[in-house]
């Protein structure tokens, strides 16, 4: 099994993400991530950027080279920068097989149409040419623009992170439903089945599993067994639940709506097909001479 969405964070970085007053987990090291995954039968991980910096991406790529459990990285890049295309290709040269996609943090942007500006076009076209995924960290309010993007770049694979972070706690189902079902009609759009527990109401008498059930059903109905990817969103997940809880709940809900064969696809098979990885058998390359390894 492959966890397609895990972060390597410091305590300070995690504290900035967690709601005020939320206790930090005791251990957020990569070793702990691997241990938790292995308990659930998860053997491989894709690590995802958390900082809006090229240095963060470089660190994750260096880390992936020397850790066999990490089969790829989703990085960050300023898509509008003059050197964006060159930087993209430099990473692909320095770290062949490891850079799987780019994730601009659209959720932080006030302009919901930022990604549609002409300045992003050269980088998006190069990503499409290089078969890199565009990882969309968005809220439901961004989905209309994302639909336009999918139509504008039909050869670009768009991966919606955390099902577009529906506001489950406030029961804003209808707002999300209309937008996500329209977006799912585009065959170049894939969705990560992740992050749902953290969007639910942790103080409700209704269990987290029950709260996410209608959202799970929509995702299964619209994206189907071939366009969903499971991810933990660890350690952000720990603000709401333990790794094993989310893993177990996700398997139950996917099996309920799509069957056992779909579980095998969504928990690994689809990732191998979508991303340019050979999970568990890829060759690990020596570090490029111009890059220093930093332990994450």
């Amino acid at each position: 099994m492959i966890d397609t969405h895990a972060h390597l964070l410091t305590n300070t970085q995690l504290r900035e993400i967690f709601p005020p007053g939320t206790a930090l987990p005791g251990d957020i090291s990569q070793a702990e991530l691997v241990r938790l995954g292995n308990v659930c039968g998860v053997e491989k991980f894709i690590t995802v950027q958390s900082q809006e910096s090229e240095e963060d991406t470089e660190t994750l790529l260096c880390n992936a080279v020397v850790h066999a459990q990490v089969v790829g990285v989703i990085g960050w890049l300023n898509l509008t920068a003059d050197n964006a295309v060159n930087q993209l290709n430099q990473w692909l040269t320095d770290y062949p097989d490891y850079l799987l996609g780019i994730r601009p943090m659209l959720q932080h942007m006030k302009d919901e149409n930022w990604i549609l500006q002409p300045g992003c076009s050269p980088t998006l076209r190069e990503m499409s040419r290089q078969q890199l995924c565009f990882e969309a960290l968005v809220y439901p309010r961004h989905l209309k623009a994302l639909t336009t993007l999918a139509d504008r770049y039909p050869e670009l694979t768009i991966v919606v992170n955390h099902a577009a972070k529906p506001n489950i706690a406030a029961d804003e189902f209808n707002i999300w439903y209309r937008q996500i079902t329209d977006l799912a009609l585009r065959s170049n759009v894939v969705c990560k089945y992740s992050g749902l527990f953290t969007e639910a109401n942790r103080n409700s008498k209704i269990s987290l599993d029950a709260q996410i059930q209608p959202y799970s059903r929509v995702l299964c109905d619209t994206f189907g067994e071939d366009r969903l990817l499971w991810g933990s969103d660890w350690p952000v997940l720990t603000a709401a639940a333990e790794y094993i809880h989310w893993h177990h709940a996700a398997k139950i809900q996917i099996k309920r709506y799509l069957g056992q064969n779909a579980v095998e696809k969504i928990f690994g098979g689809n990732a191998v097909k979508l991303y340019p990885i050979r999970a568990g058998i890829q060759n690990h390359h020596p570090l490029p001479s111009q890059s220093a390894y930093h332990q994450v």
Side-chain angles (χ1 to χ4, degrees):
M1 284 188 278
I2 302 173
D3 182 344
T4 66
H5 201 102
H7 298 290
L8 300 178
L9 301 170
T10 66
N11 282 327
T12 299
Q13 291 166 347
L14 187 60
R15 189 174 288 110
E16 293 173 352
I17 297 171
F18 269 24
T22 305
L24 294 177
D27 186 354
I28 58 170
S29 67
Q30 180 170 276
E32 177 66 0
L33 168 65
V34 172
R35 186 191 71 80
L36 292 170
N38 288 346
V39 168
C40 299
V42 177
E43 299 175 339
K44 302 297 177 182
F45 304 85
I46 294 172
T47 54
V48 180
Q49 63 78 224
S50 62
Q51 309 301 303
E52 293 179 292
S53 74
E54 293 176 8
E55 292 76 14
D56 180 54
T57 299
E58 187 92 11
T59 298
L60 291 175
L61 287 166
C62 287
N63 181 70
V65 170
V66 296
H67 288 95
Q69 301 97 332
V70 180
V71 294
V73 167
I74 305 299
W76 178 90
L77 184 65
N78 180 357
L79 301 186
T80 63
D82 291 339
N83 70 333
V85 171
N86 288 338
Q87 179 61 75
L88 196 67
N89 282 290
Q90 188 64 57
W91 281 334
L92 290 170
T93 299
D94 289 349
Y95 306 96
D97 297 336
Y98 293 101
L99 184 65
L100 308 181
I102 295 294
R103 186 174 88 144
M105 302 182 80
L106 300 184
Q107 69 172 8
H108 297 323
M109 298 179 182
K110 294 181 180 179
D111 182 2
E112 296 169 5
N113 295 308
W114 182 89
I115 192 60
L116 301 177
Q117 64 178 296
C120 293
S121 183
T123 311
L124 291 171
R125 294 191 185 282
E126 183 64 12
M127 288 173 60
S128 178
R129 189 180 75 83
Q130 297 284 6
Q131 296 184 310
L132 294 174
C133 292
F134 175 81
E135 300 265 334
L137 178 63
V138 296
Y139 288 118
R141 63 185 176 86
H142 298 99
L143 290 178
K144 186 175 181 180
L146 207 58
T147 301
T148 301
L149 185 74
D151 290 338
R152 185 177 295 179
Y153 301 95
E155 301 303 316
L156 177 68
T157 299
I158 297 172
V159 182
V160 182
N161 286 192
H162 314 320
K165 305 185 81 166
N167 193 341
I168 300 173
D171 196 25
E172 295 181 356
F173 177 84
N174 290 335
I175 296 172
W176 170 81
Y177 173 80
R178 289 191 297 269
Q179 299 288 356
I180 200 73
T181 52
D182 186 35
L183 179 62
L185 295 174
R186 279 68 186 174
S187 61
N188 59 324
V189 178
V190 177
C191 184
K192 281 186 178 175
Y193 187 78
S194 60
L196 295 181
F197 271 2
T198 45
E199 299 302 321
N201 184 351
R202 287 156 244 173
N203 298 317
S204 173
K205 294 181 180 179
I206 303 173
S207 70
L208 294 174
D209 304 50
Q211 288 183 61
I212 73 167
Q213 188 168 323
Y215 297 85
S216 297
R217 182 165 189 169
V218 169
L219 294 173
C220 290
D221 286 347
T222 54
F223 288 97
E225 63 181 39
D226 295 316
R227 290 193 292 141
L228 286 174
L229 305 165
W230 179 80
S232 69
D233 196 29
W234 189 90
V236 181
L237 165 69
T238 61
E242 297 297 327
Y243 193 105
I244 192 170
H245 180 185
W246 167 237
H247 181 270
H248 181 68
K251 287 182 74 172
I252 288 176
Q253 299 213 13
I254 289 169
K255 184 177 180 179
R256 175 184 297 140
Y257 296 121
L258 291 172
Q260 181 59 40
N261 288 340
V263 172
E264 296 176 7
K265 290 182 176 182
I266 294 167
F267 279 78
N270 289 345
V272 175
K273 291 180 180 179
L274 175 68
Y275 296 114
I277 62 175
R278 290 172 289 158
I281 60 171
Q282 68 196 66
N283 296 320
H284 283 253
H285 303 272
L287 285 168
S289 58
Q290 67 268 41
S291 298
Y293 169 67
H294 302 281
Q295 176 66 45
V296 180

